[in-house]
């Protein structure tokens, strides 16, 4: 797990924070937020908030009292204890792309399948930089809609020994995945003590929490499993076209969602989520890796810290249709602020293409290279007598070179980040070896990684219990 | 000209700065720096420094007294006053790539020609985001080596109305270009009052200033034209493999160079230059856009501010052989720190490819898009009642959309950065229109820009004087 010990890049002044503070307070108290699950409305009514049908108007001070109950940091357990992670503080935890219905493999774009899902699990397992495959790394369109959550959880649980995300389609699905986590970790008490699943609860922005999301939230929170309460904001469509207005809305939505979670179970681990970009005002299409999304990410990180909440945002977002220059500069336009804002839980780190419609194998590799480079860049330097290397300067003197200096010889293996995709061959050599661009080299890498993949060990009795549960539930659901 | 009013991202603690301070003081006083021009050695001897043949050992306090004479900000005049710039403070000034002998045009890599040079002048003129073509945007290999500096200066002076850089091959060349600036700006007094040329003086690192560079420096400084005193540091070759050691060396080289400039003409405008990256320790090839170069850039900006000096660094550096994903992520890995450190004079902003061996037309367009995006990202937000847009939230309410809201209608034209290269068409449309990747789209853009190029006006008597001077000098030099 990566610890970001570099400074945060804070861009909001105290004055700006005060303006935002007024903004979200007016939204929650004067406009209110809709909750489409009756149990949620009832809980909020009992807690003294003003209910009008499904709309709830909040006392901002009550919200802040709920927010104060949220743990600012928590642990997540993985099947392999080496892969346990910490969410909050300086730690940054990275998972793969989430949700794409399509896959791109080289120049072919097609429906994603369960075989693709398994492949992405294997790739996530193959790179130490990734803490998790995430959740729905692609939709297994060839599987039954009613039971594919079981196949996905089984694949993530067996093909990786890292943590994975919960399913949020229905409360029943959530209970299934929680049961799988219980099997993996030795029962309910174990995962209540240290949670094993983290789940994405999206707002139907603006200002509405839908029933499936709320019902899933309740299941996970009751089981002590953290949820990421995430406004879904494409400015111009789901929020106003000004960033300050969008930030005020984001705070209103996130805080009301996590205040509800605290009513379900006080002290429940929750994460302040952000998914903030903008549409193209000409075409209406979503855009990612934009300057506005970069600014939004920097602001959101600072806002989450202001409320002492763990923070989710960022990732390798881009709108490109293929793994070209645009896919890379837009990804960097998001990933750099992801690090500058010290994002705690980073979804969509690897594989995101075409506005999130496509899981790309080539992009997955590109993203791991970018991730590892940024980890190296956000590692503080050591300034001391040894790193000053005065002796090297004495040894080399004027106009010479340091290639053979003793200081260089001692350190050449790990003095610089060693890329595995980036290529700096001279032109003649590069041309002789086939003039392969970054995408072509990425394809070679993921194919080799899949060939070399080794399945992590699992205790046979656990594997048996897991298999039986999945088989039994699938037969119930698909009959 | 762009003003960066966002915060600087400072990563050096006071302790780290103290370690560096000890480092450069030891280098200049115990090892010394070589000056290969006798006049320079003589000046430094007269100023009380310890001379041993060509090596000069310095009193660090004397260096700091010279540094204190450097103006922390200055203006540069352009032929069109609208294109005047300010170097220092919050301002960021951008010029094209400098030095490549080759050109890449689509998939063809070949020797650069004067026609290419003129094309890059036209492209620099065509984008407001660029303040200058720079200097040697590519080597015009088809022109005489002895007189091409005249052709290049003539092209930059007539095809653009922006400032351009001085030639630094010999003192004689420098005098020619200074005379061209005198013709353009109405005489010596005018350019001594407000300089018109800025010139790159590279150190032959480690710790040696070569005679051609020093002789060029003297010409420009005597004429009141600023120079960018730049250590040339590829860690592992020209400096040690640890960043702190390299930073100490960089300070030693830069400060000794600019202290000399202050002896030539006290108060002369000079810029603290940085060109800092690393080699690949396996192949020995230079690498750009690395995590180490990003860290180096952030540190160097802070160091320059510590000494109250204008700062040059960054740009669109990368090692890629083609305009692919790597070229883009490495460029962002450099350009983002360029903005985070508030770099005042940014060379190599557009067109850099293949470690600086190639000027690429396609990359030029890519880089302008990245530049403009970052300008948008580094523009502070306004937080006030109006940008909070409470009325828009009231109008749209719950679960609706903001596409038709009054607040959106008022602002849709300029609420977001409008890209000209980035494409977010849906897959079907993108495919129907030819499935063109970013590079292919960039090619279309620069070809159109060259077609649409309009030469800026020039007073006929100035043009005549300029043409006559260039013709006369060329006939002398080439005979």
């Amino acid at each position: 797990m990566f610890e970001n010990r570099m400074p945060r890049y804070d861009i909001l002044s105290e004055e700006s924070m005060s303006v935002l503070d007024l903004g979200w307070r007016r939204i929650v108290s004067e406009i209110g937020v809709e909750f489409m699950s009756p149990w949620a409305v009832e809980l909020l009514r009992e807690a003294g908030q003003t209910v009008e049908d499904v709309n709830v108007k909040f006392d901002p001070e009550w919200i802040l009292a709920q927010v104060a109950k949220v743990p600012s940091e928590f642990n997540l357990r993985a099947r392999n204890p080496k892969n346990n992670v910490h969410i909050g503080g300086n730690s940054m935890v990275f998972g793969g792309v989430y949700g794409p219905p399509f896959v791109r493999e080289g120049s072919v774009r097609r429906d994603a399948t369960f075989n693709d899902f398994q492949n992405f699990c294997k790739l996530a397992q193959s790179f130490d930089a990734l803490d998790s495959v995430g959740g729905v790394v692609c939709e297994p369109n060839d599987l039954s809609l009613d039971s594919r959550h079981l196949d996905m959880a089984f694949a993530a649980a067996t093909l990786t020994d890292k943590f994975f995300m919960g399913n949020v389609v229905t409360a029943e699905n959530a209970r299934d995945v929680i049961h799988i986590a219980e099997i993996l970790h030795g029962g309910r008490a174990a995962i209540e003590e240290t949670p094993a699943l983290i789940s994405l609860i999206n707002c139907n922005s603006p200002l509405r929490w839908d029933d499936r999301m709320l019902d899933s939230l309740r299941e996970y929170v009751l089981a002590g499993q953290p949820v990421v309460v995430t406004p879904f904001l494409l400015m111009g469509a789901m929020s106003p076209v000004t960033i300050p207005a969008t930030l005020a809305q984001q705070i209103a939505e996130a805080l009301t969602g996590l205040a509800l979670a605290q009513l379900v179970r006080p002290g429940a681990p929750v994460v302040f989520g952000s998914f903030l970009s903008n549409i193209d005002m000409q075409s209406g299409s979503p855009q990612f890796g934009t300057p506005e999304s970069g600014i939004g990410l920097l602001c959101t990180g600072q806002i989450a810290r202001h409320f002492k909440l763990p923070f989710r945002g960022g990732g390798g977002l881009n709108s490109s249709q293929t793994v070209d220059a645009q896919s890379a500069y837009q990804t960097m336009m998001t990933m750099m602020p992801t690090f500058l804002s010290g994002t705690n839980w980073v979804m969509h780190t690897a594989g995101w293409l075409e506005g999130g419609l496509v899981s790309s194998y080539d992009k997955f590799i590109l993203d791991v290279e970018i991730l590892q480079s940024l980890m190296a860049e956000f590692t503080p330097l050591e300034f001391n007598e040894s790193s000053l290397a005065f002796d090297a300067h004495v040894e080399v003197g004027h106009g010479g070179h340091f290639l053979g200096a003793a200081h260089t010889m001692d350190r050449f293996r790990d003095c610089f980040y060693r890329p595995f995709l980036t290529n700096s061959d001279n032109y003649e050599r590069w041309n002789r070896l086939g003039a392969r661009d970054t995408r072509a080299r990425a394809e070679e890498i993921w194919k080799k990684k899949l060939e070399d993949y080794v399945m992590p060990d699992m205790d046979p009795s656990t594997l048996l219990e897991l298999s039986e549960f999945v088989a039994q539930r699938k037969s119930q659901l698909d009959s």
Side-chain angles (χ1 to χ4, degrees), chain A:
Chain A
M1 195 190 51
F2 180 72
E3 292 272 331
N4 184 343
R5 292 179 292 119
M6 293 280 270
R8 301 294 166 267
Y9 186 60
D10 286 343
I11 63 174
L12 293 173
S13 65
E14 274 187 41
E15 269 183 338
S16 304
M17 288 293 285
S18 304
V19 170
L20 286 178
D21 201 51
L22 287 174
W24 75 263
R25 284 168 184 263
R26 279 195 83 177
I27 292 172
V28 299
S29 61
E30 297 181 34
I31 301 176
V33 179
E34 290 186 355
F35 291 78
M36 307 311 281
S37 291
W39 63 264
V41 175
E42 202 42 47
L43 271 183
L44 292 165
R45 187 201 311 274
E46 284 167 14
Q49 305 312 298
T50 308
V51 171
E52 297 163 356
D53 191 13
V54 295
N55 190 37
V56 182
K57 291 183 176 167
F58 288 86
D59 169 7
E61 294 304 324
W62 177 84
I63 289 180
L64 291 176
Q66 297 301 108
V67 169
K69 297 175 188 166
V70 178
S72 58
E73 310 187 19
F74 59 87
N75 293 316
L76 262 187
R77 63 197 301 159
R79 185 155 73 79
N80 181 343
K82 284 183 191 159
N83 295 327
N84 291 346
V85 299
H86 183 76
I87 307 270
N90 283 337
S91 71
M92 294 183 70
V93 175
F94 300 94
V97 61
Y98 184 106
F102 302 105
V103 153
R104 195 174 180 99
E105 193 185 334
S107 60
V108 177
R109 180 189 191 265
R110 55 172 172 74
D111 281 354
T113 65
F114 186 53
N115 183 53
D116 294 312
F117 187 96
Q118 291 172 310
N119 282 341
F120 283 114
C121 286
K122 292 175 183 176
L123 289 176
Q125 179 68 12
S126 304
F127 289 100
D128 288 344
L130 288 171
D131 299 288
S132 172
V133 65
V136 188
V137 67
C138 65
E139 273 292 341
N141 293 295
D142 52 341
L143 295 187
S144 155
L145 201 58
D146 292 333
S147 63
R148 65 173 64 156
H149 64 285
L150 292 156
D151 299 290
M152 290 191 280
F154 184 80
T158 54
L159 298 175
T160 87
D161 57 9
K162 304 178 175 185
F163 78 89
F164 52 92
M165 296 180 70
N167 187 283
V168 293
V169 176
T170 62
E172 190 180 15
N173 284 10
R175 285 192 293 272
D176 282 340
V177 180
I178 290 166
H179 190 69
I180 286 174
E182 289 168 9
I183 294 171
L184 286 174
H185 295 282
R188 177 72 164 229
I191 66 165
E192 290 216 23
E193 192 189 317
T194 306
L197 299 166
I198 187 167
S199 302
L200 176 64
I201 304 298
N202 276 327
C203 187
N204 182 355
S205 305
L207 305 178
R208 175 182 290 158
W209 290 101
D210 274 347
D211 52 355
R212 283 169 177 253
M213 285 289 171
L214 289 177
D215 296 351
S216 298
L217 173 145
R218 183 170 59 168
E219 292 300 330
Y220 287 113
V221 168
L222 284 173
Q225 306 306 295
V227 290
V228 187
V229 173
T230 305
F232 191 93
L233 303 173
L234 294 169
M235 292 186 281
M238 293 85 146
S239 73
V241 295
T242 44
I243 296 173
T246 296
L247 293 173
Q249 180 184 333
Q250 182 176 247
I251 298 171
E253 293 176 347
L255 295 196
T256 53
L258 61 80
L260 175 68
Q262 297 307 307
L263 275 188
V264 173
R265 181 171 170 145
V270 288
V271 175
F272 186 114
S274 174
F275 185 87
L276 193 172
S277 196
N278 57 286
I279 61 167
D280 177 318
M281 294 309 291
Q282 276 72 53
S283 68
S285 66
Q287 305 217 81
F288 297 96
T290 63
E292 293 77 18
S293 67
I295 297 168
L297 186 47
L298 294 170
C299 293
T300 308
Q302 191 173 348
I303 290 166
R305 281 190 293 283
H306 170 78
F307 289 112
K308 300 187 171 48
L309 295 168
F311 163 50
R312 172 251 158 160
L317 279 52
N318 68 94
S319 312
S320 193
Q321 302 86 355
T322 182
V323 183
D324 62 354
Q326 178 184 324
S327 75
Y329 67 70
Q330 290 188 319
T331 290
M332 283 294 296
M333 195 75 87
T334 317
M335 277 304 279
M336 196 86 172
T338 301
F339 275 77
L340 286 167
S341 62
T343 310
N344 300 122
W345 168 225
V346 185
M347 292 176 60
H348 310 306
T349 310
W352 171 293
L353 197 66
E354 214 193 291
L357 288 174
V358 167
S359 285
S360 159
Y361 286 96
D362 301 335
K363 180 68 166 30
F364 196 98
I365 301 303
L366 184 77
D367 287 335
V368 173
E369 179 78 300
I370 287 174
L371 172 62
Q372 292 186 171
S373 300
L374 288 171
M375 285 175 168
E377 185 155 343
F378 282 78
T379 299
L381 299 174
E382 286 184 20
F383 284 84
N384 51 40
E385 188 67 27
S386 159
S387 66
L388 267 189
F390 186 71
D391 288 350
H393 282 120
V394 172
E395 181 182 344
V396 173
H398 307 91
H401 66 75
F402 290 79
L403 290 167
H407 179 261
T408 305
M409 290 291 106
D410 284 349
R411 302 181 181 222
F412 75 94
R413 279 187 190 80
D414 54 5
C415 54
F416 305 134
Y417 169 66
R418 291 172 76 158
F420 67 100
L421 171 66
T422 296
N423 183 303
S424 58
D425 283 350
N426 68 48
Y427 177 73
E428 290 68 26
R429 181 178 158 83
W430 177 77
N431 218 18
R432 199 169 62 238
L433 294 178
R436 290 171 310 146
D437 68 4
T438 311
R439 195 214 57 74
R441 298 195 304 271
E443 181 171 348
E444 199 164 284
I445 292 169
W446 66 258
K447 287 185 170 169
K448 183 74 168 50
K449 282 284 179 187
L450 287 183
E451 270 175 38
D452 294 349
Y453 167 79
V454 179
M455 194 164 166
D457 285 337
M458 182 182 274
D459 170 60
S461 65
T462 305
L463 182 56
L464 186 66
E465 191 182 350
L466 195 61
S467 306
E468 283 176 355
F469 171 72
V470 167
Q472 170 229 323
R473 284 291 293 145
K474 283 181 71 171
S475 74
Q476 287 171 355
L477 290 169
D478 294 336
S479 61

